[in-house]
Amino acid sequence: MHVYPSELVALIIQRWEASSSASAQGEGAQEDGRLPAKAALERLISTCYQVSMMREEDRPVILRLILAPPSLFPPEQGPPEGFHRLLFASPRPFNEYELRRLSPAVDFERSLIAVEPHPERAFQIWGIVNSGIRWLQEERGGSKKTRQLPDAFVVHVTGPGMLTICRGLKILATLNGGKVIDSSANAFQSQWIYKLFAEQRNVLLQLHEQFRASVLYPVAKIQEEFIAILQFQILKRVLSVCRISRHGGTFIIFPDDHPPEWAADNPHILIKYRFRQDEAIQRQRQLMVRTIRLVTTTLGDIKDPDKIITWKDYVDLRHESGVYDLEEAIYEHAQFVANLAAVDGAVVTSGQGPVGFGGMIVGSHDKLTEVAIASDAEGKMVNLAKIETYGSRHRSVYHLCDALHQVVAIVVSQDGNIQLAKWRNGIVTCWDLTSQMFIGD
């Protein structure tokens, strides 16, 4: 069933009212946290939908819009810790044509078009708010502290018919291809994927304990949750770089270090450009080890030898030059892995790092006819879909997951959409993941 802007309003109102005051985003939140009247809200969303279908100088229109008064943004502030708001000398009319004309000047990643209610014209555009890019860290990974958006109504226009409705950074609903994608179906928040990479975390925990035992100075312990967050930070960055490049790509992830399916004569995937298995292949694991050692050594306390370091502790070390260097090293590694996907075929990775690229999925492609599309993170609530409705890139990974149950396959489409596939509960199960799902987790 397809859903369009007018049908979104009831869902948005319901989710806005259900969101508790504890989930309101950011300091300086609106006092009432109220939405505009239903008719006005319908007009606002419809206008954003219409502009999403337009082009500006042959470029798709993408933008962020915030419904908030100028008073929420002190004039003396600016990125990276605040917001730089600029008021137009005369407010501009709020319509799809004005939004289209403004969109080239308002970079999606750094700025928002600012709108407020008008007593006669429903809404008007009062200016531009420069937010900086730290808000994207939840999607792309990163440890720097960021100022959250106010508790205001925000719309992301990310492509034709693609809208994400937020309360600050908290996603309320995502419209994509006429369908509402629920952020609760984010597989990266699931228990099954957390358990899938447990072996990698155990290896890192053991390496860290060996390091602690080998040195004479105090080194703190590391929280397992810290390692899990770091794992997904790296993966987020790879997917984000691939999505932004707009060339699309396929990533085949083997949770183990040395699965037998890598073998040169395996019957499921042929890796055209295979890397030699030497120390360089372990770059990703080495960066994680270095990150863990840096934070636990820096925060080690001789008076508290069993101190446990959390991700928040790491974020608080953002002023350390060593943290900056490692952040850059991790980003460069993610950029490198993502660029491999530009070549035809899949990028194949393991727990240590990339194994090779140009992977061609082979074998019988006539046994599988349908997959399960999950509407929850654990894949317990699903709808069946015929695979013939998907492109060849998606169909090939479905067949691979059907043959190799331990594999996680991720397809990034050229339009920026992301789908994860994994054998779960007796069937190949898929999760549609918009990039905005990673924001405000």
Side-chain angles (χ1 to χ4, degrees), residues 23 288 356:
S23 66
M288 296 180 73

Side-chain angles (χ1 to χ4, degrees), residues 18-174:
S19 59
S20 65
S21 58
S23 66
Q25 298 291 315
E27 300 174 14
Q30 287 176 281
E31 292 182 2
D32 53 14
R34 291 183 297 179
L35 289 173
K38 182 179 178 181
L41 186 60
E42 287 182 359
R43 177 181 174 184
L44 189 152
I45 295 173
S46 180
T47 300
C48 291
Y49 184 84
Q50 292 302 316
V51 78
S52 78
M53 309 300 290
M54 303 171 76
R55 299 181 73 84
E56 174 66 16
E57 296 183 352
D58 204 35
R59 295 189 300 264
V61 175
I62 60 172
L63 56 88
R64 287 188 296 153
L65 176 149
I66 186 167
L67 178 61
S71 58
L72 287 185
F73 306 98
E76 72 278 5
Q77 292 187 357
E81 296 181 353
F83 303 98
H84 181 209
R85 67 109 176 101
L86 293 169
L87 286 77
F88 293 143
S90 299
R92 304 297 302 177
F94 176 75
N95 56 55
E96 59 267 35
Y97 305 104
E98 196 72 25
L99 292 176
R100 185 192 68 187
R101 286 189 287 267
L102 280 171
S103 62
V106 184
D107 182 80
F108 179 88
E109 298 184 352
R110 288 178 165 82
S111 300
L112 304 95
I113 295 175
V115 178
E116 65 179 346
H118 186 276
E120 298 176 0
R121 298 189 295 270
F123 300 104
Q124 64 181 9
I125 301 172
W126 60 259
I128 294 173
V129 175
N130 178 217
S131 65
I133 61 173
R134 286 192 182 179
W135 71 280
L136 284 166
Q137 288 187 128
E138 291 296 333
E139 174 191 344
R140 299 182 181 176
S143 65
K144 298 181 180 68
K145 283 188 174 179
T146 181
R147 183 81 175 272
Q148 300 281 11
L149 284 173
D151 182 28
F153 187 83
V154 177
V155 182
H156 298 179
V157 177
T158 54
M162 299 166 62
L163 305 179
T164 298
I165 313 299
C166 306
R167 183 171 184 169
L169 290 181
K170 179 69 175 179
I171 292 176
L172 300 178
T174 297

Side-chain angles (χ1 to χ4, degrees), residues 281-343:
I281 204 71
Q282 301 180 32
R283 172 70 172 169
Q284 180 171 305
R285 175 166 291 171
Q286 291 168 350
L287 290 173
M288 296 180 73
V289 169
R290 287 171 56 190
T291 300
I292 293 169
R293 289 183 179 178
L294 171 65
V295 65
T296 55
T297 299
T298 304
L299 299 176
D301 186 349
I302 195 170
K303 297 179 180 179
D304 186 8
D306 292 326
K307 180 180 179 181
I308 298 176
I309 303 302
T310 67
W311 184 257
K312 182 180 182 301
D313 296 324
Y314 175 59
V315 172
D316 290 339
L317 283 177
R318 65 194 186 281
H319 60 280
E320 295 285 341
S321 61
V323 172
Y324 283 120
D325 291 342
L326 275 174
E327 282 271 312
E328 183 177 355
I330 290 172
Y331 180 81
E332 289 299 329
H333 176 74
Q335 182 83 43
F336 166 72
V337 174
N339 288 343
L340 299 177
V343 173

Side-chain angles (χ1 to χ4, degrees), residues 104-259:
V106 184
D107 182 80
F108 179 88
E109 298 184 352
R110 288 178 165 82
S111 300
L112 304 95
I113 295 175
V115 178
E116 65 179 346
H118 186 276
E120 298 176 0
R121 298 189 295 270
F123 300 104
Q124 64 181 9
I125 301 172
W126 60 259
I128 294 173
V129 175
N130 178 217
S131 65
I133 61 173
R134 286 192 182 179
W135 71 280
L136 284 166
Q137 288 187 128
E138 291 296 333
E139 174 191 344
R140 299 182 181 176
S143 65
K144 298 181 180 68
K145 283 188 174 179
T146 181
R147 183 81 175 272
Q148 300 281 11
L149 284 173
D151 182 28
F153 187 83
V154 177
V155 182
H156 298 179
V157 177
T158 54
M162 299 166 62
L163 305 179
T164 298
I165 313 299
C166 306
R167 183 171 184 169
L169 290 181
K170 179 69 175 179
I171 292 176
L172 300 178
T174 297
L175 180 66
N176 191 344
K179 297 180 180 179
V180 174
I181 299 176
D182 197 329
S183 60
S184 65
N186 188 348
F188 292 126
Q189 296 178 333
S190 68
Q191 286 298 310
W192 70 261
I193 204 167
Y194 183 85
K195 294 176 182 177
L196 190 67
F197 295 99
E199 182 177 334
Q200 292 183 33
R201 292 194 297 275
N202 288 334
V203 170
L204 291 168
L205 286 170
Q206 291 172 13
L207 289 173
H208 184 60
E209 286 304 310
Q210 292 170 9
F211 172 71
R212 294 181 70 230
S214 68
V215 297
L216 299 178
Y217 48 86
V219 178
K221 292 185 175 182
I222 195 73
Q223 186 186 50
E224 183 177 353
E225 183 70 18
F226 176 101
I227 302 176
I229 294 173
L230 186 58
Q231 286 175 322
F232 291 115
Q233 289 279 319
I234 295 173
L235 181 55
K236 282 180 181 181
R237 291 192 177 197
V238 172
L239 298 179
S240 176
V241 171
C242 185
R243 181 184 65 82
I244 292 170
S245 70
R246 294 290 180 178
H247 58 60
T250 302
F251 299 89
I252 305 300
I253 304 172
F254 289 90
D256 300 331
D257 284 353
H258 301 287

Side-chain angles (χ1 to χ4, degrees), residues 250 361 365 387-400 411:
T250 302
I361 298 171
H365 286 189
I387 69 170
E388 63 187 23
T389 62
Y390 291 90
S392 57
R393 180 179 287 174
H394 287 80
R395 294 198 305 270
S396 64
V397 302
Y398 299 158
H399 287 288
L400 183 66
V411 178

